[in-house]
Amino acid sequence: MDDKPTSIAIVGAGTIGLSFAALHLAKNPDCHVIIFDTRPDLQDYVNTSLPGYLTDVDVAQCLTRLTITTSLEEAVKNADVVQEQGPENLDFKQKIWPEIEEAASKDALFWSSTSGIPASKQSQHMQDRSRLVVVHPYNPPHVMPLLEVVPSPLTSQDVIDRTLSFWQSLGRVPVLIRKECTGFVANRLAFALFREACSLVAQGVVGVEDLDSVVQSSMGPRWTVAGPFKSYHAGGGEGGLQSFMEKIGGTVQSCWDASDADVRSHDVRVNAAWQEEVCRQTHEAYGVVDVSERDRKTRGVLEALQDAILPGTS
Amino acid sequence: MDDKPTSIAIVGAGTIGLSFAALHLAKNPDCHVIIFDTRPDLQDYVNTSLPGYLTDVDVAQCLTRLTITTSLEEAVKNADVVQEQGPENLDFKQKIWPEIEEAASKDALFWSSTSGIPASKQSQHMQDRSRLVVVHPYNPPHVMPLLEVVPSPLTSQDVIDRTLSFWQSLGRVPVLIRKECTGFVANRLAFALFREACSLVAQGVVGVEDLDSVVQSSMGPRWTVAGPFKSYHAGGGEGGLQSFMEKIGGTVQSCWDASDADVRSHDVRVNAAWQEEVCRQTHEAYGVVDVSERDRKTRGVLEALQDAILPGTS
């Protein structure tokens, strides 16, 4: 941005909002964060909840750079970035962006954390629709590095470029999605595997906890190091992915065919009969999950990967 | 097994065979491994290739516990475990198991590393079909912890139990698959996500390298720590997976519907038109992949996870 410390306005103080606030405060030691929400207990709620998101940093120092407000105008008027995570509701989003546009400076970046409402729809009543871009996190954003940057066809290249470099400078992984599509990319991929998982459990091929063990001890660690294309490209040896498809393509197609047949014959749609048994097994296996333990382990995995990437380590 | 050191016969010295040989030698410091293959340069080939699989161990000490042979009878006659990774060909497997059965002791465990030919088909000409079970690794097995244990309906419970406890005692992750099915579980899951990945790239939503970045910075690390059911169960808060499906089910179904429509409209079958562009992008992004670097990083991730599981660390 420029010489003064970056100012981030967080619009909506749910779990995503607080997680982003913590991320900015922790990763960018000069920035100022201002949280806007209309909930009456905002001060108490933020004081109680936010420290839980601030790990491995000086919490008191972070909190000196935090303001909260119940005035949208006050939140956004001096912001360099306005990051919205209000209700997942088109009317709300179409109404708030013109209000933000009215009150914010003309250079401020406008980001929506929506998981599904594209910028092209959210921006419909804005004066300058080129200003809005979706920045969709993988939850929780203070732990997970990914940000899906999803412009509308109207979003300006300048907004895209500044958004990508903002996140790169924070050491996160912003990925540009070239076309708006249902669910963006991360959820589309994850839900495709999840459907197959539900289908295999519905058929009695494997139990819920065993299926999780399969993933945790195979493609989880593999795909942390090398995504699916790089993995199968490696699997093809010198001939790469093309060679892999020549050798293994028959097996791949037979799995895809079996998958389609099984999904149909077990009626693997949301809320169909299979779902009750899958939910029952999951509850029986895990009770209530301790997400702080999950996040601590995830940090360990990401740090190990970071260490392994540095030259000279092994 | 019993008092004497465990003896493992590796039938077929391809990359999977050598990787398994290395795993046994490294993880079980008393065991003896005997490798059978008919290739004429077997001694040179094993001497040259095997040390590359033996990391963080005394290679010379491991090699004192290794024998190679071009006689199947010699390989299996004193073995506690016969682990087969010959050609992925039903005739070969149906022919070799009766030969192994004839030469081996009556208590030896018989494991096939096949990625797709079920034990019920392989065992067709055996005298005692209850002895065979598939033990399918995730490549390479000396790095990746998963073993899919896939019995046929005829496999005895004793064989299943002894197989599971063998791998548990080596600190690996054997998972019992309850029904033989196309592709078993790990590949079914991985290929389901891979199809969605191919579909999204084919549509121009995202590039190959960016798609890999999405996976590496989101579901890879997440699923290393908590598989898909545990993850979405956590995502549902106190109500767990059922609550998640109530809140997010509409989004999940719309992603599944979009996925089916896109796969159809872009004809995402093996060898269809989309494949050339996906292979081209993958080759351009990665050239020839350094799998030793991949395996080193994977080990780092798995060790970090192991450390994070130990109490008192954080």
Side-chain angles (χ1 to χ4, degrees), chain B residues 208-254:
Chain B
V208 154
E209 201 168 1
D210 280 347
L211 187 136
D212 278 349
S213 288
V214 166
V215 175
Q216 290 164 210
S217 57
S218 61
M219 63 217 85
R222 167 58 48 79
W223 287 343
T224 299
V225 170
F229 288 114
K230 190 171 185 180
S231 289
Y232 293 131
H233 189 61
E238 290 196 2
L241 185 60
Q242 191 171 327
S243 204
F244 174 85
M245 294 304 280
E246 281 158 17
K247 285 183 225 161
I248 316 290
T251 305
V252 173
Q253 187 63 54
S254 66

Side-chain angles (χ1 to χ4, degrees), chain A residues 2 13 34 64 66-67 98 129 172 178 195 213 217 236 255 279:
Chain A
D2 55 24
I34 184 163
T64 63
L66 176 71
T67 309
R129 299 180 64 185
R172 308 309 270 185
R178 295 184 195 153
R195 177 162 61 168
S213 289
S217 56
C255 284
C279 289

Side-chain angles (χ1 to χ4, degrees), chain A residues 178-179 196 203 233 287, chain B residues 178-179 188 203 205 233 287:
Chain A
R178 295 184 195 153
K179 288 182 188 173
E196 192 72 344
Q203 292 169 66
H233 188 62
Chain B
R178 296 183 194 154
K179 286 182 189 174
R188 283 286 290 273
Q203 293 169 66
V205 168
H233 189 61

Side-chain angles (χ1 to χ4, degrees), chain B residues 259-272:
Chain B
S259 169
D260 289 340
D262 290 343
V263 162
R264 271 197 307 275
S265 69
H266 291 83
D267 194 26
V268 184
R269 290 174 301 102
V270 169
N271 291 331

